Amino acid sequence: MGTIKLKNIRTYSYHGCLIEEGKIGSDYKVDLEVKTNLKPSAETDDLHDTVDYVLLNKIVVTEMAVRSHLLEHVAKRIIDRVLKESKTVTKVKVAVSKINPPIGGDVEMVTIEMKESR
């Protein structure tokens, strides 16, 4: 078993419950971690024997571009697509952070984290 991590994927997206958030948008960061068997690719040196992190990044960027009211909803869509499109992944953990959230205080970011296993 092994782990592939994509850290600090940055997007500009339009998530949130406020109408203004859908119009103005905000900066986000996403951390993605997947568990998979890395032994085959370590032996063969072949991309087909591992989880392509280019695909993982594409999934995150694509799902972050779809407006949602809640970060939990975005995270769930990312998890579902990773499990659907990468059959060898056994566990997915994703953290979605909204940077400088409009919550009436001096808060650097708010983060939700979700994980799911097969």
Side-chain angles (χ1 to χ4, degrees), residues 54-118:
V54 172
L55 171 65
L56 296 175
N57 184 67
K58 181 181 174 185
I59 289 171
V60 169
V61 170
T62 301
E63 292 305 325
M64 288 298 291
V66 178
R67 176 161 162 64
S68 293
H69 288 116
L70 301 176
L71 299 181
E72 295 91 321
H73 188 70
V74 180
K76 177 70 170 132
R77 288 199 322 262
I78 292 169
I79 289 169
D80 289 347
R81 279 203 51 200
V82 168
L83 291 173
K84 179 181 177 187
E85 296 181 32
S86 299
K87 301 297 183 192
T88 62
V89 169
T90 58
K91 185 176 183 179
V92 182
K93 181 166 76 170
V94 65
V96 180
S97 302
K98 180 183 278 193
I99 300 169
N100 296 319
I103 60 175
D106 186 10
V107 177
E108 180 182 351
M109 74 178 75
V110 62
T111 302
I112 66 97
E113 185 175 289
M114 295 175 65
K115 57 186 166 184
E116 194 166 316
S117 299
R118 281 191 205 274

Side-chain angles (χ1 to χ4, degrees), residues 29-53:
K29 83 174 198 78
V30 178
D31 296 319
L32 181 67
E33 181 176 310
V34 300
K35 299 282 187 185
T36 189
N37 185 357
L38 296 178
K39 285 184 181 182
S41 59
E43 292 290 329
T44 66
D45 196 28
D46 189 333
L47 180 61
H48 294 97
D49 292 330
T50 192
V51 178
D52 186 354
Y53 51 79

Side-chain angles (χ1 to χ4, degrees), residues 4-32:
I4 298 174
K5 296 179 183 181
L6 282 74
K7 294 184 178 183
N8 203 21
I9 302 168
R10 293 174 299 279
T11 69
Y12 195 86
S13 303
Y14 298 86
H15 308 301
C17 294
L18 302 175
I19 294 171
E20 297 81 19
E21 291 174 299
K23 294 178 182 177
I24 298 169
S26 185
D27 289 308
Y28 291 81
K29 83 174 198 78
V30 178
D31 296 319
L32 181 67

